[in-house]
Amino acid sequence: MARTQLQRARDGEVTPAMDRVAERENCDPEVVRESVASGEAVIPSNHAHDALDPMIIGAEFGTKINANIGTSETTSDYDTEREKLHTAIEYGADTVMDLSTGSNLDSIRTAHVEHSPIPLGTVPIYEAVKRAGSPEDITVDLLLEVIEKQAEQGVDYQTIHAGVLREHLPKTDGRVTGIVSRGGSIMAEWMEAHDAQNPLYTHFEEICAIFAAHDVTVSLGDGLRPGAIADANDAAQLAELRTLGELTRVAREHGVQTMVEGPGHMPLDEIGDHMAQQREICDGAPYYLLGPLVTDVAPGYDHITSAIGATEAARHGAAMLCYVTPKEHLGLPDDEDVRDGLAAYRIAAHAGDVAAGKPGASDWDDAISAARYDFDWRRQFELALDPDRAKSYHDQTLPDDTHKEARYCSMCGADFCSMRIDQDARGDSMADLNRSVDLAESAAASVNLPPTGTHDTSGLPTVSAAVCEHAENAIESDD
């Protein structure tokens, strides 16, 4: 039987995936192996995901970004999901989670695995509910069947809400927003209906056996995460976190790569302490956070409220950040929302890495600043996190090619441009400025260097065309 990256790392083996990760992180492969062997980093890489370009999730490496996509019961459209996946890859997502709850779940998932160079995650409880008809009708056999089937399909990591226990539920009674996690609420309803313990917890070792066979990374879901800043770090959340620490150790004993999911909503001043607490309770397992959102007052702008918290989390060691789009709390994101959410979170991750002093992280900033001072507009666009948007904003008011040589933009104009005034005043002393930046020599991880989408897609079919063709065939077979 093929072994997991964790098992091979413990045996002293540097795998091809570890070599590729070391190349992307600009570090020695042995550093990668040691991090995986200790459980402080994971390389989600299902044996059956042939299109995968391996990446690593761990606090000592560049902070990664996950993009959630997926259909809902009211919106199920192959073309939309195809474009979301394409956008996520193009704008720098490091992983993508298919959270589909609509129809044709198998077909969508299969298409994503076949054509995505980035790891794919899922939440199998969603499919279990769809197949059972209601949470209370889920059986243990169905749960294990769905988990194994998704592992066989090539899913790289699965979110398992095994930390929500019966004894935790009364702790949510005084909350402002109760249980806001889909998976958490489903398991709570099942436990109430059956007057029994969470089957994902009681059968966790069986789940680990499935994951070990396919090298699926387990992402321990935070089913009791706070849905309002008033509920942050309450008794329910922390009780579940302690259970997640227990499950982390069980999964590692089975050779299963493990990461832990976190909040949610949390005031800015509580994030650092919470990060330290998670690291201690979960023995340094990579922490994968949604946000956190640092205020609850900005529906329509929660990609901003959450990016503020995500930056602080990254500074304190978050390994991966789950993006939030402008549609959070309001509706199903579309293609443009995916783009905006990824931009906000790439900024958060990069800013967090700069603040944490990760090697070479600020080299990108120095390079674009030098181009800005030189009025090298084309180089600025090339270095921008979203080059197309930067260029389009500039060209709205100064579209001609001659404006790419101008020593001003439309905000200040030539007469009031501070950098032009400063350069003219310096005259010959301009040569004294230290602005030499060679990104080719940077020690930064690939996520801290342009372009943000660094996945190796050579040899793969065009994502949009391939997924569309597969989806059309799948619809015919499903019908």
Side-chain angles (χ1 to χ4, degrees):
M1 179 184 294
R3 295 178 301 154
T4 68
Q5 294 290 327
L6 174 56
Q7 291 167 333
R8 296 167 75 179
R10 285 173 173 168
D11 288 343
E13 179 184 356
V14 174
T15 66
M18 294 174 200
D19 271 327
R20 171 56 177 155
V21 164
E23 177 186 355
R24 298 180 69 179
E25 299 290 331
N26 278 330
C27 68
D28 191 288
E30 183 61 20
V31 171
V32 175
R33 187 200 66 77
E34 290 176 354
S35 296
V36 174
S38 70
E40 294 187 358
V42 297
I43 302 176
S45 50
N46 189 309
H47 301 314
H49 192 169
D50 295 332
L52 182 68
D53 183 20
M55 50 78 71
I56 194 165
I57 301 169
E60 298 306 312
F61 302 95
T63 304
K64 303 306 189 295
I65 304 299
N66 172 68
N68 288 339
I69 61 175
T71 62
S72 72
E73 290 186 351
T74 60
T75 306
S76 296
D77 181 83
Y78 272 112
D79 289 340
T80 300
E81 293 311 302
R82 175 200 68 203
E83 291 306 323
K84 287 180 188 176
L85 176 65
H86 187 274
T87 298
I89 295 170
E90 181 177 2
Y91 289 102
D94 298 293
T95 77
V96 65
M97 289 199 78
D98 176 18
L99 305 185
S100 293
T101 58
S103 58
N104 302 314
L105 299 182
D106 273 350
S107 301
I108 291 174
R109 190 182 310 116
T110 299
H112 287 345
V113 170
E114 287 183 358
H115 302 298
S116 175
I118 61 179
L120 177 70
T122 58
V123 186
I125 194 69
Y126 299 167
E127 181 177 350
V129 171
K130 288 287 292 184
R131 289 175 57 175
S134 67
E136 58 266 29
D137 290 330
I138 295 173
T139 65
V140 172
D141 287 344
L142 176 59
L143 274 175
L144 296 177
E145 179 186 333
V146 170
I147 289 169
E148 186 164 24
K149 182 194 68 176
Q150 293 191 6
E152 291 171 346
Q153 287 178 305
V155 168
D156 300 289
Y157 65 97
Q158 295 186 29
T159 294
I160 303 295
H161 295 89
V164 183
L165 305 185
R166 289 181 67 195
E167 54 267 35
H168 298 162
L169 301 185
K171 299 179 187 296
T172 67
D173 290 344
R175 283 183 157 188
V176 172
T177 54
I179 300 175
V180 299
S181 159
R182 282 184 192 170
S185 63
I186 291 168
M187 296 319 303
E189 183 174 345
W190 189 96
M191 287 186 280
E192 294 284 2
H194 291 268
D195 193 23
Q197 186 58 278
N198 183 346
L200 295 173
Y201 178 81
T202 58
H203 293 265
F204 189 68
E205 293 197 70
E206 295 171 62
I207 295 170
C208 286
I210 295 171
F211 287 168
H214 300 274
D215 201 359
V216 173
T217 297
V218 62
S219 187
L220 295 171
D222 54 338
L224 299 181
R225 67 175 179 266
I229 61 172
D231 298 334
N233 289 310
D234 68 355
Q237 180 190 355
L238 297 180
E240 182 186 24
L241 181 58
R242 286 187 286 273
T243 304
L244 298 185
E246 170 199 335
L247 295 173
T248 295
R249 291 180 280 277
V250 172
R252 287 175 175 173
E253 288 171 2
H254 285 77
V256 175
Q257 300 189 88
T258 307
M259 58 183 174
V260 177
E261 298 185 13
H265 294 239
M266 186 171 290
L268 186 65
D269 61 309
E270 297 183 20
I271 293 173
D273 288 342
H274 176 80
M275 295 292 299
Q277 194 171 18
Q278 182 276 343
R279 189 170 185 83
E280 179 179 357
I281 291 172
C282 298
D283 296 339
Y287 208 16
Y288 163 30
L289 286 87
L290 176 73
L293 286 75
V294 296
T295 180
D296 302 331
V297 301
Y301 299 93
D302 278 336
H303 60 312
I304 298 174
T305 63
S306 62
I308 294 169
T311 303
E312 183 73 350
R315 182 170 79 93
H316 286 281
M320 185 161 73
L321 307 170
C322 184
Y323 85 162
V324 172
T325 77
K327 290 276 181 60
E328 186 76 7
H329 302 116
L330 300 173
L332 187 70
D334 60 20
D335 186 53
E336 191 65 15
D337 296 320
V338 170
R339 178 179 181 177
D340 288 345
L342 276 167
Y345 271 69
R346 285 257 64 99
I347 294 167
H350 179 73
D353 285 350
V354 170
K358 292 186 178 178
S362 63
D363 290 348
W364 184 1
D365 301 81
D366 295 342
I368 197 169
S369 295
R372 183 174 295 126
Y373 191 75
D374 288 341
F375 295 104
D376 188 342
W377 295 104
R378 293 181 179 87
R379 181 62 172 160
Q380 281 189 66
F381 303 150
E382 179 183 310
L383 290 173
L385 182 137
D386 187 338
D388 292 340
R389 181 159 293 181
K391 184 178 184 299
S392 69
Y393 281 1
H394 173 271
D395 291 357
Q396 284 178 6
T397 50
L398 297 174
D400 296 339
D401 283 344
T402 56
H403 294 141
K404 305 301 185 294
E405 313 297 331
R407 297 175 68 204
Y408 61 88
C409 72
S410 61
M411 175 175 282
C412 297
D415 292 340
F416 288 92
C417 178
S418 58
M419 289 193 296
R420 195 272 307 162
I421 294 169
D422 180 65
Q423 290 178 16
D424 290 348
R426 289 179 184 274
D428 294 340
S429 66
M430 278 283 293
D432 296 334
L433 293 177
N434 181 18
R435 297 181 297 111
S436 177
V437 181
D438 185 358
L439 291 183
E441 298 299 320
S442 176
S446 61
V447 296
N448 278 318
L449 293 172
T452 54
T454 60
H455 317 289
D456 183 3
T457 57
S458 60
L460 293 179
T462 302
V463 172
S464 57
V467 174
C468 183
E469 180 182 358
H470 184 281
E472 289 172 353
N473 294 337
I475 289 174
E476 293 176 4
S477 64
D478 286 349
D479 291 342

